[in-house]
Amino acid sequence: MHVQDRPVATKAEKDTTPARYAVMGNPVAHSKSPVIHKQFAHQFGHNIEYAALWVDTDGFAEAVQQFRAEGGKGLNVTVPFKLEAFSLADNLSERAKLAGAVNTIRFEVDGKIFGDNTDGTGLVHDLTKNLNVHLRGRKILVLGAGGAVRGVLGPLLKQNPALLVIANRTVPKAKELAKTFAQFGKIEAVGYDELVGKRFDVVINGTSASLKGEMPPLPVNVFAGNAVAYDMMYGDKPTPFLEWAMLHGAETAADGLGMLVEQAAESYLLWRGVRPETRHVIAALRKG
C-alpha cells in the first residue's frame, strides 16, 4: 500500500463528545454562565457543553462526584456552596486559600480536585482593564465583610492601594478580616458611622443589600473627586447603591456584570489553558 493510499481519519470519525462543564448553585436558574461560556468556546472553536445545575443544599458533594463520574471536566460554584467546595478540594490555589472559598473546580487526571477562586481577579480585571480605574495609591472603601468581600481583598491589596477600608455593620467581623489580610497591605476596619468625614476614590459594594433593594448606610460625602462606585451585584437596572452614588458625587458607576464575565474567563483559562476575550461578551450581555 502506498503512503497516499492509507485511510485518513476524517473529522467526523474523531471523538466529537463535548467536554462537559457546569455551574452548581441554589438557586441557579438565573445564571448567565452558560451563555458566557458558550461565547468563550465559540472564540476558540472548542467543543464544550455547559449547564446550570440546581443542587439541593445538602447534596453538593454527592452532585460533584456524580458530575465527575459522568465525565465532567470542571465546575463553577456559586451560592451557597463556595465554602463546601473549599473543603472538598484536595489542592487549592493561593488565591483560593486567601479567599477561604472556591468558585472554580478542575478535575485532575490523577483523581484529585483542584480548587481555585477567580472572583477577586475578575473584579480587578473589570476595574483596571475594562473601566480603566487605577487602584495603585488610591483609597478604596469596601462595604460588607461576608464571603464575597473576603474573596476580593487579596487581589485588591496586590494592586497597592494607599489604603483599603472595610466597613461593616458588625465591626468585629470586619476587624477579623482586616487582621487576616494585614500582611498584604494597609487595611483598616470600621463601622459605617466612622466613615463620616472620610473620602474615597473607589467605593465597592460587596453587601447583599442590592438584592433586597436596600442601601448601605453611607454618609453623603464619602466620594472623593472623580470617584468610582462599583456594585458587585448586577441587574437589569442600576442597583440602589449605584443610583445613590451617582446622586452623591460618584463620577463613574458600574455594576458587577463585568466582574462576572472576567471571573468566568479566569475559570475558562484554568480549564482550557487559554483566556477568552471578554469585552464583546460583556457588551452582548448588556444588550440582553
Side-chain angles (χ1 to χ4, degrees), residues 228-286:
V228 176
Y230 192 99
D231 200 322
M232 287 165 64
M233 303 296 160
Y234 62 90
D236 296 333
K237 58 182 194 287
T239 66
F241 167 71
L242 294 180
E243 286 186 333
W244 183 90
M246 292 306 287
L247 288 171
H248 293 90
E251 184 177 275
T252 306
D255 68 13
L257 185 65
M259 175 183 171
L260 174 75
V261 176
E262 294 295 344
Q263 66 82 19
E266 285 288 308
S267 294
Y268 200 91
L269 172 62
L270 183 74
W271 296 329
R272 310 289 301 183
V274 284
R275 195 180 198 281
E277 185 279 327
T278 53
R279 287 185 185 233
H280 291 98
V281 179
I282 295 167
L285 288 172
R286 290 252 181 249

Side-chain angles (χ1 to χ4, degrees), residues 132-154:
N132 297 314
V133 176
H134 298 286
L135 298 175
R136 186 184 181 90
R138 310 295 288 279
K139 288 184 178 175
I140 301 175
L141 173 62
V142 180
L143 311 177
V149 166
R150 187 184 175 108
V152 304
L153 292 178

Side-chain angles (χ1 to χ4, degrees), residues 25-181:
N26 184 337
V28 81
H30 66 286
S31 177
K32 295 184 188 296
S33 294
V35 174
I36 293 168
H37 284 279
K38 186 178 180 181
Q39 291 191 40
F40 287 168
H42 183 71
Q43 290 179 26
F44 302 105
H46 289 168
N47 184 18
I48 78 162
E49 183 183 284
Y50 190 106
L53 302 177
W54 181 91
V55 175
D56 195 75
T57 46
D58 60 359
F60 178 69
E62 189 182 339
V64 170
Q65 297 306 341
Q66 185 180 339
F67 184 74
R68 180 182 202 156
E70 291 168 356
K73 302 288 187 188
L75 287 166
N76 283 130
V77 182
T78 187
V79 177
F81 301 118
K82 291 184 185 183
L83 294 178
E84 202 172 336
F86 181 86
S87 303
L88 203 61
D90 300 296
N91 299 308
L92 295 161
S93 68
E94 285 307 310
R95 55 192 183 185
K97 287 176 189 172
L98 264 181
V102 159
N103 80 331
T104 305
I105 281 172
R106 183 178 67 200
F107 297 123
E108 309 287 45
V109 290
D110 63 1
K112 299 266 173 69
I113 291 175
F114 181 76
D116 197 1
N117 190 305
T118 66
D119 286 332
T121 305
L123 170 64
V124 169
H125 254 281
D126 193 34
L127 283 167
T128 59
K129 302 287 195 301
N130 300 331
L131 301 170
N132 297 314
V133 176
H134 298 286
L135 298 175
R136 186 184 181 90
R138 310 295 288 279
K139 288 184 178 175
I140 301 175
L141 173 62
V142 180
L143 311 177
V149 166
R150 187 184 175 108
V152 304
L153 292 178
L156 282 172
L157 287 167
K158 279 188 178 170
Q159 296 294 304
N160 296 312
L163 171 66
L164 190 153
V165 174
I166 308 169
N168 195 48
R169 290 178 195 271
T170 314
V171 181
K173 197 174 178 186
K175 286 193 183 296
E176 192 180 312
L177 268 189
K179 189 178 174 185
T180 302
F181 285 87

